[in-house]
Amino acid sequence: MRTALLDLLRCPFCGGRLEVVENEALVRVEDRIESGVLGCDCCAFPIVAGIPVLVADDPTRDAMHRMEAGQHEDALFMLLGLDADRGASFRALVAPDRKATYREALALLSLDAEADCFLYRFSDPTYLPTAALLRAIGQNRWTVSGPVLDLCGGSGHLTRVLAGLQPSGGIVDADVCFWKLWLAKRFTVPACDPVCCDANSPLPFARETFSMALLADAFPYIWHKRLLAEEMMRLVGPDGLVVLPHLHSARGENVSAGMTLTPVRYRELFSPLQPRLFSDARLFRQLLDRRVVDLTEDASPDQIGTEPSLTLVATPRADLFRTYDAGDTDAVEGELTVNPLYRVARQGRASVLTLTFPTPEYEEEFGACKEYLPSTLTVDADLTGPIEPALLGADCAELRRRRVILDAPKDYS
Ligand SMILES: C[S@@+](CC[C@H](N)C(=O)[O-])C[C@H]1O[C@@H](n2cnc3c(N)ncnc32)[C@H](O)[C@@H]1O
């Protein structure tokens, strides 16, 4: 944890500043705190593997006591949810002489189908319009003039998009699952500040801290929606920006829907920030067909009707609501890699790629990706090794546009 993050953090319960406790658990490395305890008038919270855990529950307290007893690895394994066997596998995976990948660590840390959603997130049909929306919004420097927050940010796929906008003051990935934040910091977006917290409680940040607060594909999973809406608005202030892409609607059908509301209720919750609603189906089509993000045509709840999902953008700053070019860049932030949804077979000098879904359930939920991911294709290059743009020549831009080739974090898959 960067020590500068202390300026942003507040206790979720008393709202007080958090101070570093000078005890046996404290390990400082330059301007970071690797492990330690944060305290306020009412609570104590651990920092484990550089991640502040601002949650008051028994596992967190146990982890803190382990750390104070010098058992740092036990504390980490406890918060990662690792038993002795998986702990041993984890230890081997992250050994200094072993080059671990996100994919391998995810397979160890995630015990359910969420692993598929995360591994293939960079090309799924809800990620693409959301990433394009954030890049569009970020063209307005005021949206990134302070720190930005990715709430319920998981293992950091969209946090990485926010990082690409180069906000002043850093990017916080906040999630209730410690293991997801560990993956985000280690692999997906090492530049982020991970904060473990529960979005059902008051958020552990100072008032008017962030220039933008994002909450993608998670609001319906939160029971205390009124509290969370008020909290997000508190964090960005009266001229700030709150973005909630891919809100499942109670009027439509969704896989893993969560506790949905109707579009009109979502809008009411954020009314002080003058929210506008957008049809997700329309944002998707505009991106694929016209390469634009059009924020000029918001939709009424009636116009959204029974569509499964919608996007809410709330800010009083009317200059945000215009049409943006969503053309792709040639720059490479991480490393070019074959989309892990493809099986790759060599055929002479060429590579034959076959789209292969991990499960029928994944295909059912994210099958719209077939609109841009071809079922098979042959690329005149060896794609089993490192991929430089020159290797793909004139095809590089098109392969990237169709998400056959991804600009993924280093050591992703
Ligand atoms: C479908 S994932 C979306 C992840 C990320 N926002 C994205 O769009 O890629 C939902 C995320 O919400 C997080 N989440 C669920 N309930 C939460 C809570 N009460 N507090 C904080 N995060 C929560 C989950 O851990 C998960 O990472």
Side-chain angles (χ1 to χ4, degrees):
M1 186 191 100
R2 291 185 305 125
T3 42
L5 191 67
L6 283 171
D7 288 339
L8 276 56
L9 295 180
R10 297 290 181 273
C11 170
F13 306 108
C14 71
R17 283 188 76 96
L18 297 169
E19 307 288 344
V20 179
V21 178
E22 298 286 335
N23 69 6
E24 296 71 23
L26 184 60
V27 179
R28 289 183 192 266
V29 182
E30 296 165 1
D31 66 341
R32 291 179 294 110
I33 300 170
E34 201 42 41
S35 69
V37 174
L38 294 173
C40 61
D41 284 1
C42 74
C43 286
F45 303 101
I47 304 169
V48 178
I51 303 174
V53 187
L54 306 182
V55 175
D57 62 10
D58 288 339
T60 307
R61 258 186 298 275
D62 287 351
M64 186 166 65
H65 294 145
R66 296 281 170 110
M67 251 182 16
E68 285 168 338
Q71 298 162 352
H72 292 262
E73 189 188 70
D74 284 1
L76 175 62
F77 285 10
M78 189 170 270
L79 291 180
L80 289 173
L82 296 174
D83 59 19
D85 286 349
R86 288 168 60 233
S89 306
F90 180 85
R91 196 181 296 120
L93 185 67
V94 299
D97 56 345
R98 171 89 158 70
K99 196 174 169 210
T101 63
Y102 172 91
R103 182 182 203 142
E104 292 171 315
L106 177 67
L108 233 163
L109 294 172
S110 172
L111 297 176
D112 59 30
E114 195 176 24
D116 289 338
C117 297
F118 279 2
L119 180 62
Y120 306 112
R121 182 74 172 127
F122 284 127
S123 66
D124 82 42
T126 63
Y127 173 86
L128 260 56
T130 302
L133 172 72
L134 296 175
R135 290 190 187 110
I137 283 174
Q139 291 176 32
N140 304 280
R141 281 315 294 174
W142 64 265
T143 65
V144 287
S145 59
V148 297
L149 172 65
D150 185 5
L151 188 56
C152 302
S155 64
H157 294 82
L158 291 166
T159 323
R160 183 170 181 260
V161 177
L162 294 178
L165 306 179
Q166 302 184 324
S168 315
I171 315 109
V172 172
D173 180 1
D175 201 282
V176 76
C177 288
F178 181 90
W179 64 264
K180 297 175 187 173
L181 297 169
W182 186 89
L183 284 172
K185 183 71 185 166
R186 165 85 186 226
F187 294 103
T188 324
V189 53
C192 78
D193 293 313
V195 173
C196 192
C197 62
D198 185 351
N200 276 301
S201 296
L203 298 174
F205 304 102
R207 182 181 303 282
E208 298 185 26
T209 287
F210 298 101
S211 52
M212 173 184 354
L214 166 71
L215 196 161
D217 193 8
F219 196 68
Y221 304 134
I222 307 300
W223 178 241
H224 292 283
K225 292 183 180 62
R226 183 158 66 114
L227 172 71
L228 179 54
E230 294 293 332
E231 280 294 273
M232 291 183 78
M233 291 189 284
R234 176 180 70 84
L235 296 187
V236 300
D239 293 322
L241 169 65
V242 164
V243 185
L244 284 90
H246 197 63
L247 277 168
H248 294 159
S249 168
R251 297 194 60 205
E253 292 288 321
N254 285 283
V255 180
S256 312
M259 299 163 280
T260 52
L261 302 180
T262 55
V264 78
R265 281 296 301 141
Y266 286 129
R267 195 175 63 177
E268 277 170 16
L269 283 174
F270 292 90
S271 60
L273 272 189
Q274 302 173 32
R276 304 187 197 196
L277 308 181
F278 297 89
S279 150
D280 275 0
R282 196 166 174 160
L283 290 174
F284 182 69
R285 284 265 57 93
Q286 286 166 344
L287 180 65
L288 258 58
D289 300 344
R290 293 170 43 214
R291 310 302 300 160
V292 297
V293 176
D294 185 352
L295 297 186
T296 61
E297 290 189 36
D298 55 308
S300 68
D302 279 349
Q303 285 168 323
I304 288 179
T306 58
E307 284 186 32
S309 70
L310 61 145
T311 288
L312 180 149
V313 181
T315 179
R317 303 266 315 241
D319 59 323
L320 191 83
F321 298 98
R322 54 180 210 272
T323 303
Y324 300 83
D325 176 22
D328 290 313
T329 160
D330 291 340
V332 180
E333 285 177 17
E335 58 191 13
L336 296 183
T337 181
V338 176
N339 184 329
L341 280 172
Y342 283 97
R343 269 205 321 261
V344 184
R346 289 298 305 281
Q347 205 172 76
R349 287 180 46 235
S351 302
V352 179
L353 275 54
T354 309
L355 184 63
T356 311
F357 290 107
T359 60
E361 291 77 19
Y362 184 92
E363 182 172 3
E364 190 191 335
E365 185 170 358
F366 298 110
C369 68
K370 285 184 269 191
E371 288 212 34
Y372 43 91
L373 295 176
S375 55
T376 61
L377 79 163
T378 301
V379 178
D380 192 18
D382 175 6
L383 299 184
T384 57
I387 302 173
E388 295 297 331
L391 183 73
L392 303 169
D395 295 336
C396 186
E398 179 65 3
L399 289 167
R400 287 184 64 184
R401 192 183 68 75
R402 298 197 68 169
R403 301 303 190 269
V404 173
I405 298 290
L406 301 176
D407 175 6
K410 287 197 165 43
D411 304 324
Y412 187 69
S413 61

